[in-house]
Amino acid sequence: MEQDHDVPALIVQHKWLVSISVMMATVMQILDTTIANVALPHMQTSLGATADTVTWVLTSYMLATAVAIPITGWLSDQFGVRRLFILSVVGFTLSSMLCGIATNLPEMVGFRVMQGVSAAFIGPLSQSVMLDINKPSQHARAMSIWGMGIMVGPILGPVLGGWLTENFNWRWVFYINVPFGIATTLIFIALLRDKPIRKRRFDMFGFAMLAIGLSALQLMLDRGHQVDWFDSWEVLLYLGIAISAGWIFIVHSATSPHPLFDRAIFANSNLVSALAFMLVVGLVMFASAALIPPMLQNLFGYPVIDTGFMMAPRGVGVLVSMAIAGRLVTLIDPRILMVTGASLSAWSFWLMSGWSLEMDWWPVVSSGVVQGMGMGLVFIPMNTLAFATLSPQFRTDGASLLNLSRSIGASVSISFMTALFARNVQVSHNDLVGHVTDSSLTTFDYAELARFGQYGDAILTGINGEITRQAAMVAYIDDFWLMMLINIAAIPLLLLLRRPKNSTAIKPPLMMD
């Protein structure tokens, strides 16, 4: 009787080939969230942009992705998962090629919007398909494979982007997607089957409110550091729109007979708890990945390629722990794995808080491995439990919400931690300057430096540069401390997840095919 329930929702031929294609699409989409970052200076020159306007290459992609993710479930119900997935990969491949041949900034921004919309659908659809083509007893293993692409992609992106930019051209950051996109499309057309289409009414008003709220939030986060945050009326306007639209969307979703997301989804405590902790995953994972590379390059003088290789062991930790978690989740309570993983992640930030300007590469590598292992131990059990009690018809909507939650967490954390870093640099600089006196500098006298003209100015500039360098290191450590505290504070959310009773979602390996 149990065997009747342990069947995949979607039966396909050559499941391994379909899985590889799904992962190719997933890795392409995730890589493009970070791969273009290191190429921005080169794009600025080629596209005739300024330092401020070239950032729209990143902003347009993130904004389009955030707005489009929520309608993935409705589109898949309306047109079918197979058709939407194929169109998304085709759109992503085509827009990647167009980004590579863009000649000016408006063209690039327009093509990045197309790419971002296509990418928005790939993430939730890939997770949904991986769950659909596998038995419930194999969902942990499926999420382990899928999670490797999600977690490793942001780490490998800067490495691959830096290598392509230095050895070829920044345009190859986009061209590299084309052959993989074509191969994925052909395999999907040949092998991917469709589930029954479930027509439902589209909640235009709810989507409009959510899109306006997410757009305003993203613009506030992207523009805040340029216009001095809440001292600017522009930021206050974005914040007001985000709060108002978000509140209207919540009230509308709770009262509308046909909301954008079925209210039954939010009655699932496992998914709701996973959504809350996914925000934290976005916070700690993407913020640290955004802070550490510029720290290594600006304070320690490592080139882009070396920085990428020093970040790579973080991905190794993710791969190892996900492989372990994929097996252990069938043997022990998944919550034990998640708490262990979150504790390892917190420990990695504690290790980072002890960094100094005199250290070598080893502390970066070792703490990165610990953090990667922690995130891997959290990610697989959390995704497994999040969908274990969720009806298959809600999987695409649930996957889109999880991807949206992670995306919001990443955007908020990068903007907040970057702003906090800039502020703490100023505060620490002022504190350190107060300790630089004649008595602390015994090798020369301030009063005598004026006699040396430009040489005296050079000495003072050098002293100020070293103070700024030390202040930046202190500011980075402050950010690491805060991320550690956020990580620890979120651990109780994991205890709200419940292991399903009488379910084939998590079974011992001996019962798996």
Side-chain angles (χ1 to χ4, degrees), residues 100-314:
I101 64 176
T103 58
N104 54 58
L105 186 62
E107 287 182 4
M108 175 61 80
V109 170
F111 297 147
R112 284 287 276 177
V113 169
M114 293 172 53
Q115 192 184 38
V117 171
S118 302
F121 305 139
I122 291 175
L125 289 174
S126 63
Q127 186 174 15
S128 178
V129 168
M130 287 296 286
L131 290 168
D132 286 341
I133 65 177
N134 286 278
K135 300 176 181 180
S137 60
Q138 297 173 332
H139 281 179
R141 185 171 63 185
M143 288 298 94
S144 176
I145 296 171
W146 182 82
M148 290 178 186
I150 294 294
M151 303 295 278
V152 176
I155 298 170
L156 295 183
V159 183
L160 183 59
W163 184 80
L164 290 171
T165 302
E166 288 192 3
N167 292 278
F168 297 95
N169 186 285
W170 66 264
R171 298 182 185 276
W172 279 95
V173 167
F174 301 105
Y175 288 150
I176 194 174
N177 293 327
V178 176
F180 295 102
I182 293 174
T184 300
T185 301
L186 293 177
I187 294 173
F188 280 171
I189 292 175
L191 298 178
L192 188 60
R193 296 181 59 188
D194 215 342
K195 294 190 299 184
I197 294 177
R198 181 174 65 96
K199 298 280 187 177
R200 54 172 165 146
R201 186 180 302 176
F202 183 61
D203 182 13
M204 177 59 73
F205 180 77
F207 172 68
M209 290 298 100
L210 183 59
I212 291 172
L214 291 174
S215 300
L217 176 64
Q218 189 66 55
L219 287 171
M220 182 190 77
L221 296 172
D222 289 334
R223 290 281 297 162
H225 69 282
Q226 301 177 28
V227 296
D228 202 17
W229 288 101
F230 298 108
D231 288 334
S232 167
W233 280 105
E234 180 183 352
V235 170
L236 293 175
L237 177 63
Y238 291 146
L239 178 62
I241 293 174
I243 293 175
S244 300
W247 175 249
I248 293 173
F249 171 75
I250 292 173
V251 173
H252 173 77
S253 297
T255 57
S256 172
H258 302 286
L260 184 62
F261 298 104
D262 196 308
R263 284 188 286 272
I265 295 177
F266 301 101
N268 188 291
S269 60
N270 273 14
L271 182 64
V272 172
S273 299
L275 288 173
F277 196 82
M278 190 62 79
L279 278 171
V280 180
V281 171
L283 283 168
V284 299
M285 175 184 168
F286 287 92
S288 60
L291 287 173
I292 295 176
M295 181 195 74
L296 295 176
Q297 294 175 47
N298 298 331
L299 297 188
F300 293 87
Y302 290 106
V304 174
I305 297 298
D306 289 350
T307 298
F309 282 121
M310 292 172 69
M311 295 290 290
R314 190 179 306 260

Side-chain angles (χ1 to χ4, degrees), residues 334-354:
R335 291 171 296 182
I336 297 176
L337 291 177
M338 290 186 288
V339 171
T340 301
S343 300
L344 283 175
S345 179
W347 181 37
S348 71
F349 286 116
W350 182 79
L351 293 174
M352 293 178 192
S353 68

Side-chain angles (χ1 to χ4, degrees), residues 373-508:
M373 293 188 68
M375 288 292 99
L377 288 176
V378 169
F379 199 79
I380 299 306
M382 183 175 65
N383 275 277
T384 303
L385 289 181
F387 292 96
T389 57
L390 190 67
S391 173
Q393 67 179 350
F394 297 136
R395 279 177 184 162
T396 305
D397 273 334
S400 66
L401 285 169
L402 283 173
N403 280 268
L404 179 62
S405 181
R406 188 183 66 248
S407 177
I408 292 174
S411 298
V412 171
S413 66
I414 291 173
S415 297
F416 178 75
M417 292 299 174
T418 302
L420 183 64
F421 167 76
R423 177 185 177 277
N424 285 347
V425 168
Q426 298 177 352
V427 173
S428 299
H429 187 278
N430 291 336
D431 292 340
L432 293 174
V433 165
H435 295 282
V436 180
T437 62
D438 288 332
S439 59
S440 62
L441 298 175
T442 58
T443 55
F444 55 82
D445 187 351
Y446 276 119
E448 296 294 322
L449 290 178
R451 297 172 50 192
F452 296 98
Q454 61 180 355
Y455 298 106
D457 292 339
I459 293 174
L460 290 176
T461 300
I463 294 173
N464 183 68
E466 181 58 27
I467 292 174
T468 302
R469 187 165 167 262
Q470 297 286 344
M473 190 71 245
V474 172
Y476 278 119
I477 290 173
D478 289 342
D479 274 7
F480 296 146
W481 269 108
L482 179 58
M483 283 187 277
M484 181 189 72
L485 295 176
I486 293 174
N487 199 321
I488 294 173
I491 290 178
L493 291 173
L494 297 174
L495 302 178
L496 298 178
L497 292 165
R498 292 291 180 265
R499 192 173 186 174
K501 298 180 180 179
N502 301 323
S503 172
T504 58
I506 303 174
K507 297 198 306 183

